[in-house]
Amino acid sequence: MAKKGYIKRLLPGSNTSIGFYSYFEHIIDQKEAEKIYYFKGGPGVGKSYMMEKIGYKIIDKGLDIEFHHCAADPESIDAIVIPDIRVAIIDGTTPHMIDPRYPGVTGVIFNLGEFLNEKGLREIKDKIIQFTEDNKNIYARVYKYLAAAKLIHDDIEWINSYAMDFNKVVKETDKLANKYFDTVADKGKLGRERHLFGSSYTLKGRVDHAETFIGIIGKIIYIKGDDGTGKSTLLGKLSAIALNKGYDVEIYHEPLVPEKIESIVVPELDLAFTTNGKFSNGETVDLDAHIDKAKIKKYEEELKHSKKMFNKLLNDVFIYLGKTNGVHNKMEEYYAPNIFYEGLDKVRGDILEEITHIIEIGRPK
């Protein structure tokens, strides 16, 4: 039996304190892609199911694959990428609207809405509109709570930063830079950045798949530290050093504040730096060690209270996100009987045939 491909599970979007935030443009480089298939169509039309079915067929052929998971429902797939042949399939619908930059050259749109029974759906028009509005209203509340959580999080960061000796953090950063990049050859070019989320707030809580993109790395350095201790800044500086030396860097962001960094991976150096506690058993840089205990004690009660408030707000976010699952399931119940599955099966078969052709020949038909 042929060896199966490896599955890398990633998060291109997340619910954040500023609403839904997308790094979908980093799923695949449109200039370098061989082919990108963009799926359009409403909920329940089968986009995720089709991508997953195609993905597992590719895995059976021995090729590695990336499954890009949905920010709301971690079981759902928003995109797949086959890196070896530079092919991707992407859900290009709301909230992560994305279209081909080079239509007909590297990108092609499949409107799966063509396989909806419009007559049947119009008979239940009011119910569909109501559930769509219900879902929108739930998310409006989710984003308000995340915005409130961010304000409390700012307070936690302020207290810790007040007590923090950032000169020592700079020294820690320099030590890591010297240890891991000083003897690395300069490639005489700028590396490329790929931005994704390291974790996401979902209906199942805070979810990550870091074991699939960090766990495969040979050398992992865990950056320990409370919020406001300079972890993201440290990771940003190390990322810049690697990029300036010509190495591509995968930059994985925090879900609450999307510009903050959770982890970086330098694949060519088999090297990763992460704040993810799953990797706390290896080499560790402890930024908490540079907190002035006397200063932090002054705000001990305030810090404890803010953390309690922050966790309560996040818990409410997860409760509300959980409600979207029921609404989504109802929507799929209405759509499922009104889909022409024969047409979808043909599209899936045609795409899989073309991808197989690319694997064998090296180019689309």
Side-chain angles (χ1 to χ4, degrees), residues 33-49:
E34 189 66 48
K35 192 74 175 277
I36 309 172
Y37 305 88
Y38 295 87
F39 284 173
K40 303 289 184 175
V45 77
K47 301 184 296 294
S48 174
Y49 174 79

Side-chain angles (χ1 to χ4, degrees), residues 158-165 290-293 295-296:
W158 177 83
I159 293 172
N160 283 324
S161 63
Y162 161 77
M164 195 70 187
D165 186 342
H290 306 311
I291 294 177
D292 186 312
K293 291 182 173 57
K295 284 185 177 181
I296 205 71

Side-chain angles (χ1 to χ4, degrees), residues 1-6 53-65 82 84-85 349 351-360:
M1 182 181 288
K3 182 182 176 182
K4 291 192 175 186
Y6 178 78
K53 290 284 283 186
I54 292 170
Y56 280 109
K57 288 288 187 182
I58 299 303
I59 290 164
D60 288 341
K61 294 178 183 292
L63 275 74
D64 295 343
I65 199 163
I82 313 163
D84 285 349
I85 58 170
I351 290 174
L352 184 57
E353 182 182 345
E354 183 167 58
I355 291 174
T356 301
H357 182 82
I358 296 171
I359 293 169
E360 294 171 351

Side-chain angles (χ1 to χ4, degrees), residues 93-259:
T93 55
T94 304
H96 34 75
M97 294 293 292
I98 186 168
D99 291 298
R101 191 174 299 157
Y102 313 105
V105 178
T106 61
V108 59
I109 291 175
F110 282 84
N111 180 16
L112 304 186
E114 292 178 1
F115 305 108
L116 292 176
N117 176 12
E118 185 179 346
K119 183 176 180 295
L121 289 170
R122 287 189 65 81
E123 291 175 359
I124 49 174
K125 170 186 172 184
D126 291 343
K127 290 179 180 178
I128 289 176
I129 290 174
Q130 184 58 59
F131 280 117
T132 301
E133 290 301 304
D134 288 346
N135 204 50
K136 184 184 79 173
N137 291 338
I138 291 171
Y139 273 104
R141 196 166 183 83
V142 163
Y143 296 138
K144 288 174 185 175
Y145 273 70
L146 281 172
K150 199 264 182 184
L151 291 174
I152 301 298
H153 191 263
D154 287 346
D155 184 60
I156 295 168
E157 288 192 335
W158 177 83
I159 293 172
N160 283 324
S161 63
Y162 161 77
M164 195 70 187
D165 186 342
F166 285 107
N167 287 328
K168 290 181 180 177
V169 178
V170 171
K171 289 179 181 177
E172 293 281 14
T173 307
D174 289 342
K175 282 182 190 176
L176 290 170
N178 292 337
K179 183 175 181 179
Y180 290 104
F181 296 108
D182 260 15
T183 58
V184 169
D186 191 320
K187 301 175 79 173
K189 65 180 182 69
L190 282 176
R192 291 178 297 183
E193 306 172 33
R194 190 190 195 193
H195 295 267
L196 296 163
F197 281 95
S199 56
S200 183
Y201 297 141
T202 79
L203 58 86
K204 293 191 175 181
R206 182 167 179 160
V207 168
D208 73 69
H209 307 284
E211 62 279 359
T212 73
F213 59 85
I214 292 177
I216 59 174
I217 299 299
K219 184 62 182 176
I220 304 169
I221 297 90
Y222 172 58
I223 311 298
K224 180 178 181 292
D226 204 346
D227 299 317
T229 56
K231 295 175 294 183
S232 178
T233 301
L234 180 152
L235 291 172
K237 288 179 178 178
L238 294 179
S239 173
I241 292 168
L243 289 166
N244 287 333
K245 285 210 163 193
Y247 296 90
D248 296 346
V249 180
E250 297 171 3
I251 302 171
Y252 295 95
H253 293 261
E254 289 273 358
L256 184 66
V257 184
E259 65 265 24

Side-chain angles (χ1 to χ4, degrees), residues 17 51 80 93 104 135 154 164 183 185 209-210 221 227 268 281 286 296 298 309 334 341 345:
S17 60
M51 284 189 273
I80 64 171
T93 55
N135 204 50
D154 287 346
M164 195 70 187
T183 58
H209 307 284
I221 297 90
D227 299 317
E268 196 173 347
N281 292 330
D286 185 4
I296 205 71
K298 182 179 178 182
M309 289 290 294
Y334 289 122
Y341 289 100
D345 289 342

